[in-house]
Amino acid sequence: MGIRDINQTSETVVVAALTKAGENFMKQLLVKGVPFTAITNSVAERQQLSKLGIASILLVNTIDPDTWEMPDYPVGRVFLFESSLSLCCRYLRMIRKWTDQPVYVITGRTHGRLIYKSLGATHIVHSNTGSISFLLD
């Protein structure tokens, strides 16, 4: 699915991006006009995302699974930029229930592949440089 296909779907792309690569990815989505929702578990990060010009931000509690309610819009592809193994796993457990579309975990580490796959990640993308613009093609 290319960038044109993303623009023509009614499903919302979801991005968890606590890394510089994730921030750059969201900037690319903004430039290309791709509708997306940023997801965060931090009020401070929500403010930072707002300053980047991101209008749709979902603040979630990643600690309490009883609060993990599905958004009121259809969720499409998901891009999780790993900042920590435990947080990425919590996001995966939460978000995998929201969509049957691909879930990408972008990481600079070599660990976690089997854990992420067992939690429902479709693709594990290893990137030491943070250059993942090819995911938009």
Side-chain angles (χ1 to χ4, degrees), residues 38-85:
I39 188 170
T40 182
N41 67 344
S42 160
V43 172
E45 186 182 2
R46 181 177 66 179
Q47 292 171 342
Q48 181 182 354
L49 292 167
S50 290
K51 287 179 184 177
L52 291 174
I54 298 166
S56 180
I57 304 168
L58 183 60
L59 182 63
V60 296
N61 176 347
T62 54
I63 302 299
D64 184 4
D66 292 334
T67 65
W68 295 353
E69 294 184 22
M70 186 171 169
D72 59 355
Y73 47 83
V75 173
R77 294 197 296 168
V78 177
F79 299 90
L80 303 176
F81 290 80
E82 179 197 54
S83 61
S84 81
L85 178 68

Side-chain angles (χ1 to χ4, degrees), residues 7 16 34 40 46 48-49 79 82-83 87 99 115 117 123 126:
N7 280 325
V34 176
T40 182
R46 181 177 66 179
Q48 181 182 354
L49 292 167
F79 299 90
E82 179 197 54
S83 61
L87 181 58
T99 184
I115 294 169
K117 285 286 190 178
H123 304 284
H126 295 279

Side-chain angles (χ1 to χ4, degrees), residues 82-100:
E82 179 197 54
S83 61
S84 81
L85 178 68
S86 63
L87 181 58
C88 194
C89 287
R90 284 181 281 177
Y91 278 138
L92 261 172
R93 286 181 49 222
M94 179 189 314
I95 292 172
R96 186 71 266 184
K97 296 177 184 178
W98 298 353
T99 184
D100 60 357

Side-chain angles (χ1 to χ4, degrees), residues 92-93 96 99 101-105 114-124:
L92 261 172
R93 286 181 49 222
R96 186 71 266 184
T99 184
Q101 296 298 311
V103 175
Y104 298 80
V105 173
L114 293 176
I115 294 169
Y116 293 146
K117 285 286 190 178
S118 73
L119 292 173
T122 314
H123 304 284
I124 313 300

